[in-house]
Amino acid sequence: MWAGHTSKERTGDCMLSDLLSEELVLLDVEASDWEDAIRKGAQPLVDNKKVTPAYVDDIVKGVNELGPYIVITEHVALPHARPESGALESAIGIVTLKEPVEFGSADNDPVKFMFPLAAKDSDAHIGALQSLVELLSDPDFFTQLEKCATPKDVVELVHDKERSL
């Protein structure tokens, strides 16, 4: 065991709920296009000192250069950039868009849900991503997510789903 690190930190074995907080949840966001959606969806990460504004710029730059690689499954985007782009703390947000937005992904557009991710290093968020993948494969999750009225409801939903995994 490394000094100052618990085995949980060392193995990256954190759950999605460990990186999620009510301050990082936005519901019914109105976005004019994919870039607007990313900037609005990632703003809580900036406001809560999880990432720098340059990190958000790098997400947008990545999509402009590489295409919509952040659209990871039907109707779902995982906006993220490399840790060195300005990730200050590992965190994840959950964003629902009022109207789905085209990101340019032939298979998975339009995007309705975003999970903006800040990863401080390449290992810290692996466990959280694994629990996110499990959530995304649960068809009930999105139905329930759409019914959430407050950020608190969303955080509780994630906790409940993780407990049942």
Side-chain angles (χ1 to χ4, degrees), residues 57-77:
D57 292 340
D58 211 44
I59 296 172
V60 171
K61 181 178 169 203
V63 174
N64 275 321
E65 290 178 359
L66 305 171
Y69 72 97
I70 62 172
V71 182
I72 56 170
T73 189
E74 196 173 1
H75 310 304
V76 177

Side-chain angles (χ1 to χ4, degrees), residues 78-129:
L78 183 72
H80 63 285
R82 292 188 315 278
E84 61 271 20
S85 297
L88 304 173
E89 226 177 275
S90 294
I92 194 159
I94 297 181
V95 179
T96 63
L97 297 173
K98 190 173 190 78
E99 295 296 327
V101 172
E102 298 284 331
F103 273 62
S105 169
D107 297 332
N108 297 317
D109 268 349
V111 169
K112 171 86 171 135
F113 308 98
M114 295 191 312
F115 297 84
L117 174 70
K120 202 171 59 170
D121 61 59
S122 47
D123 298 327
H125 61 290
I126 298 298
L129 282 180

